């Protein structure tokens, strides 16, 4: 049973413990409250929603992360505690304070994240009643319980791990995410917690996180909507015993790459689990007049309902891609454009090659993963974003069908 | 049968003739080629798609409208003649030239508009063969044939009329539009032709049209997509015999209001016929920090798939409206917000009134027309846009289901 042992061992991030249980916040009776606990205060960095309407837990956590040390993260699903005014903030404060008392740590070291319905108050009493059990049940092997407790419309829990010996020390990075709907560049109903035993200098952690987010979670978009609750937290608890790394060292010794792998794997899982998604589509823009133009054009395509429904229908409808690319503020010229599905060219210098290549392209469109490459031949700007198709399932989920 | 006569009479715009027939461009055997003919050259103004990728007919018509006189407008559905390069332009030129020869007018006075699939060439031969019949069948009473010939996924033809005696002359304005999908602020697969017998000074016509578009077609949005072919043409053939009006006169004597009514009626019909739409939703923004902010926030709400699916589901889900409002570059503050469905308040100064008002709001959400008012209490900016819900029907139509 070596494999079993290894598997369990693999899922441990030294110095971190987890739990997840049913507090009765969700109506479906599933796990809805979870806890991450670091045995020592961990150096912390966070990235939060850019929506002007920020949920109470985001406001509180943003403040506490600024002090750079976090030891516990309380998370609930089923209620977003957003648009809840002063009472929302007070509720979050009460819960973190009571949790801190049970854990015997300063409440400054406790943060909170919530996801679920906007505009409703947290069932504080019900949650408070379970804080003791939540702490008592903490265990380094219960990461999956935690991952389940933070799910909303997610169809599967999202966990990613990487382990590597760097400078003689075993470095582990583990990440847990929830996503599903409202996923968009500005982060959206997305909660991500990334934990490592590495020692990283407090002043270096935020830039490592920012760089990672830019290359992972900021590259996925499902519906262009942005939630009030998005939170990405990175905690480093120094348990590996390495000489604390600066940003430069972490990049040179492979830690950054490892971190990026975890973040990209989680981002990939979030987009794969996009509400109603049947396909993941990568939109690559090349040779745009600038990075900014590439970015804007990629998102215009990725958010176009006409493009997304065409992918759902598995149709070669390149006109919609071109029309979406042409509607931004950045001028493009059809005569210069090359467009590919996978390696199959549909347009070359504005010449329509679809008639002869349609069958081959059609074959690729039936796949679960599709790569669209639009070469604008205007400059050096390039980017790539991941999105999903738009299916009747998306409408069904979001129209609140009770079935 | 006075009524019948009146009805026919009502549908006549002095000096304009119409036709519509089957040229075999569409696969479904329905009418797909139409013609508007003015018995004398009419003063013309146009507004065109802001997409950088402009279809061949748009490029040609834009040029010809600049000379300010137009006598014939050839329109086809089934093929957009977009992304068709030089051959696309040549095809449009050949057709307008041959049509001009049959009509015995200079080809400079002939414009063309196309709608349908992007990336395919016009079946020039097939269309050319029917130009003679198209001209022979011209008749002042055949506006409905024309309206049918320009339809694509439209479920009904869109015609609007206004008649009024101004300064002793009977002034008529008639408009024909097609819309359905891809409708958005920057105009999208929308063709609109507005015809009047009034005499308007050539230099005044463009500003009248611009003002009208700003208050009608620019206020509707279905999916945020923008087509390559959008065209709004206004032709004034001076047959009413009035002293030619300047912009100022046309505003003072009620002509502008009449024009606006025609344009708004057509815009309303386009949004009502939005692909898969089951409801029309007006998003009113009040007391925003600026007009620009109001505009941007209104469209962010109107384009949000989460908001639109919630309307389809007839659910009171104000959190999605607020989240969509908060994701733009313009800061808003939840504590200042009032939100109404119809007259029913859901939020007042950031206080959630939904629990007590949910039933009343629910009732309004079951209606076909819904008004959402978001008061930001930040300044004097205000706007209103019309959009639709997002239904499984939209996905079905646009995924290209053959059923």
């Amino acid at each position: 049973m070596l494999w079993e042992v290894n598997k369990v061992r693999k899922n441990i991030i030294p110095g971190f413990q987890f739990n997840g249980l049913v507090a009765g916040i969700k109506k479906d009776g599933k796990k809805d409250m979870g806890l991450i606990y670091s045995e020592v205060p961990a150096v912390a960095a966070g990235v939060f929603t850019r929506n002007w309407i920020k949920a109470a837990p985001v406001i509180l956590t943003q403040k506490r992360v600024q002090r750079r040390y976090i030891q516990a993260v309380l998370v609930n699903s089923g209620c977003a505690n957003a648009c809840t005014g002063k009472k929302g903030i007070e509720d979050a404060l009460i819960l973190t304070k009571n949790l801190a008392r049970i854990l015997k740590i300063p409440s400054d070291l406790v943060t909170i994240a919530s996801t679920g319905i906007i505009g409703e108050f947290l069932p504080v009493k019900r949650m408070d009643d379970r804080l003791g059990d939540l702490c008592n049940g903490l265990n380094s092997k219960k990461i999956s319980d935690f991952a389940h407790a933070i799910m909303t419309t997610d169809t599967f829990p999202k966990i990613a791990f990487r382990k590597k010996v760097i400078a003689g020390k075993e470095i582990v990075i583990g990440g847990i995410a929830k996503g599903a709907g409202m996923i968009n560049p500005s982060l959206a109903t997305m909660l991500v917690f990334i934990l490592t035993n590495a020692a990283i200098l407090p002043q270096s952690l935020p830039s490592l996180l920012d760089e990672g987010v830019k290359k992972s979670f900021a590259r996925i978009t499902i519906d262009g909507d942005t939630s009030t609750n998005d939170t990405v937290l990175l905690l480093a608890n120094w348990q590996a015993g390495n000489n604390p790394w600066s940003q430069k060292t972490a990049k040179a010794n492979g830690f950054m790459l490892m971190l990026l792998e975890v973040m990209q794997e989680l981002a990939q899982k979030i987009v794969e689990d996009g509400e109603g998604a049947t396909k993941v589509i990568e939109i690559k823009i090349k040779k745009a007049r600038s990075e900014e133009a590439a970015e804007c054009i990629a998102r215009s395509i990725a958010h176009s309902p006409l493009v997304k429904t065409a992918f759902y229908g598995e149709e070669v409808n390149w006109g919609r891609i071109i029309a979406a690319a042409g509607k931004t503020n950045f001028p493009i010229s059809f005569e210069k454009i090359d467009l590919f599905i996978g390696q199959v060219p549909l347009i070359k210098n504005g010449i329509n090659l679809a008639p002869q290549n349609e069958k081959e392209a059609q074959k690729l469109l039936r796949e679960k993963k599709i790569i669209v490459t639009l070469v604008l031949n205007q400059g050096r700007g390039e980017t790539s974003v991941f999105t999903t198709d738009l299916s009747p399932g998306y409408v069904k989920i979001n129209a609140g069908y009770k079935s």
Side-chain angles (χ1 to χ4, degrees), chain A residues 5-297:
Chain A
V5 174
N6 270 343
K7 203 185 160 196
V8 170
R9 173 94 184 87
K10 210 180 105 186
N11 280 0
I12 282 175
I13 312 154
F16 285 100
Q17 297 180 21
F18 308 88
N19 199 9
L21 50 70
V22 179
I25 311 164
K26 281 185 197 164
K27 284 169 195 152
D28 62 6
K30 290 189 178 161
K31 287 199 175 83
D32 49 17
M33 190 160 76
L35 178 62
I36 299 174
Y37 174 68
S38 174
E39 290 156 14
V40 295
V43 175
V47 171
F48 302 92
T49 182
R50 282 184 288 189
N51 200 307
W52 295 101
I53 310 292
K54 288 178 172 55
V58 170
I59 295 168
L60 184 67
T61 299
Q62 233 171 346
K63 210 179 278 175
R64 293 195 172 164
V65 165
Q66 272 168 13
R67 303 192 181 177
R68 289 191 177 157
Y69 288 93
I70 293 297
Q71 194 164 1
V73 187
L74 178 66
V75 189
N76 75 276
S77 53
C79 172
N81 192 11
C83 299
T84 45
K86 275 184 196 163
K87 178 164 162 49
I89 299 277
E90 279 158 26
D91 290 348
L93 277 170
I94 290 169
L95 287 165
T96 53
K97 197 176 128 193
N98 293 355
L99 182 65
R101 205 176 44 220
I102 299 170
L103 291 170
K104 300 193 176 82
I105 60 174
S107 62
D108 275 6
L109 293 180
V110 181
T111 61
I112 181 165
S114 302
T115 175
I117 297 164
I118 297 178
E120 291 184 2
F121 295 116
L122 287 175
V124 177
K125 174 79 177 63
R126 220 176 298 164
M127 291 172 73
D128 202 35
D129 286 349
R130 303 305 311 277
L131 289 180
D133 291 339
L134 197 64
C135 296
N136 287 335
L138 279 169
N139 189 304
S140 60
K141 293 176 187 167
K142 282 165 83 174
I143 194 163
S144 165
D145 296 68
F146 175 80
H148 277 92
I150 68 173
M151 286 165 66
T152 54
T153 53
D154 302 65
T155 64
F156 57 85
K158 295 162 188 72
I159 301 174
F161 271 94
R162 289 295 184 282
K163 202 158 64 174
K164 198 185 163 189
V165 176
I166 301 180
K169 308 289 181 187
E170 186 177 69
I171 303 297
V172 183
I173 305 179
I176 312 102
K178 76 149 299 268
M182 283 182 107
I183 302 307
N184 138 300
S186 327
L187 309 183
T189 308
M190 182 173 82
L191 299 181
V192 182
F193 307 98
I194 299 159
L195 315 167
T196 179
N197 64 339
I200 311 282
L201 293 170
Q203 65 270 31
S204 295
L205 205 66
S207 17
L208 291 176
L209 178 63
D210 287 347
E211 185 177 334
V213 166
K214 214 180 142 197
K215 293 180 178 166
S216 58
F217 303 111
R219 303 249 61 75
I220 61 174
T221 171
I222 292 175
D223 53 18
D225 271 310
T226 308
S227 119
T228 48
N229 290 57
D230 305 311
T231 301
V232 183
L233 284 182
L234 171 57
L235 306 185
N237 72 2
W238 292 43
Q239 297 305 291
N242 58 298
N243 260 337
W245 297 327
S246 68
Q247 191 188 353
K248 207 176 146 190
T249 312
K251 282 181 146 187
N253 68 17
F255 177 83
M256 181 64 213
L257 195 67
M258 224 175 133
L259 178 64
L260 195 57
E261 278 179 21
V262 168
M263 293 171 97
Q264 286 179 337
E265 186 179 326
L266 290 174
Q268 204 67 33
K269 284 179 172 164
I270 288 171
V271 81
E272 275 167 20
D273 200 17
E275 282 169 352
T278 73
K279 292 173 192 301
V280 173
I281 301 133
E282 181 174 8
I283 313 282
K284 288 185 176 179
I285 307 293
K286 292 188 172 172
K287 299 191 181 173
R289 59 182 66 224
S290 65
E291 289 289 322
E292 196 195 350
E295 200 61 41
C296 184
I297 291 166

